[in-house]
Amino acid sequence: MAAQALKKKTRRVIEEEEEAAARRAEEERRKKEEEAKARRLAWEASCGQQRELKATSTNFALAGGFRHSCILQEDGTVVCFGTNGREQCEVPPDLDSVVAVAAGHFHNCAVQSDGSLVCFGDNSFGQCIVPEDLTDVIAVSAGFGHTCAITRQGELVCFGDNAFEQCDVPEQDVAIIAVGAGFK
């Protein structure tokens, strides 16, 4: 009789342990599902969808901003992805024929084949307001809150935040051939 009671008790303990293990496994499965869902939602909240990109040796560029990136594809279109809190990944739908791209802190700029400059994203400092008389752009660099562009004539034009005189272009006796815009 004592042996039977011990067997029943042992069976109950084993069943309880198996049930507890099954509950833990189910909790772990749910936790993984929730984590996967959170990752998927975070991806969807960023800008764009995952896609395969094929690099070629012509007309391809990559620009990295603050938690976002932009690529210039071979067909002259731009794709931006990553954090999109300031709409920096909202590429204007009519933006095409792009030959150069730059990514700033929360804004991006693209040079089109006709020399026009298009900037989009955060415009807190006027860094996306392209001066009306700025034409024939051949290169661009986007900083924290400012943008600098070089024209075909070798002129450097900067606009946006000028708190540290980063838009005060010094007089030059020679044409500018490259530009880089920093943090501030």
Side-chain angles (χ1 to χ4, degrees), residues 10-67:
T10 303
R11 252 185 272 141
R12 254 189 278 132
V13 169
I14 291 171
E15 287 172 359
E16 288 173 359
E17 287 176 356
E18 288 174 347
E19 288 174 6
R23 282 192 303 270
R24 284 192 302 273
E26 179 64 19
E27 287 174 18
E28 185 66 29
R29 184 190 65 77
R30 284 186 188 153
K31 182 179 177 182
K32 286 182 181 180
E33 281 181 2
E34 288 174 13
E35 288 172 353
K37 182 179 179 181
R39 282 193 304 274
R40 187 179 71 251
L41 290 174
W43 170 253
E44 290 170 0
S46 70
C47 26
Q49 297 180 358
Q50 190 171 6
R51 65 180 77 185
E52 183 176 332
L53 302 170
K54 296 180 178 165
T56 63
S57 61
T58 60
N59 201 25
F60 187 85
L62 170 68
F66 181 69
R67 296 182 180 165

Side-chain angles (χ1 to χ4, degrees), residues 27-115:
E27 287 174 18
E28 185 66 29
R29 184 190 65 77
R30 284 186 188 153
K31 182 179 177 182
K32 286 182 181 180
E33 281 181 2
E34 288 174 13
E35 288 172 353
K37 182 179 179 181
R39 282 193 304 274
R40 187 179 71 251
L41 290 174
W43 170 253
E44 290 170 0
S46 70
C47 26
Q49 297 180 358
Q50 190 171 6
R51 65 180 77 185
E52 183 176 332
L53 302 170
K54 296 180 178 165
T56 63
S57 61
T58 60
N59 201 25
F60 187 85
L62 170 68
F66 181 69
R67 296 182 180 165
H68 75 284
S69 300
C70 294
I71 58 166
L72 169 57
Q73 299 186 107
E74 189 174 27
D75 65 356
T77 60
V78 174
V79 176
C80 297
F81 51 96
T83 301
N84 194 27
R86 307 272 175 88
E87 298 182 359
Q88 65 269 34
C89 295
E90 302 296 324
V91 179
D94 59 342
L95 182 62
D96 59 10
S97 302
V98 175
V99 296
V101 64
H105 194 75
F106 288 122
H107 77 291
N108 307 302
C109 296
V111 178
Q112 293 182 291
S113 60
D114 65 358

Side-chain angles (χ1 to χ4, degrees), residues 158-174:
C158 296
F159 52 94
D161 183 16
N162 196 31
F164 298 95
E165 300 176 3
Q166 63 270 43
C167 293
D168 292 344
V169 179
E171 290 289 324
Q172 299 293 319
D173 293 333
V174 294

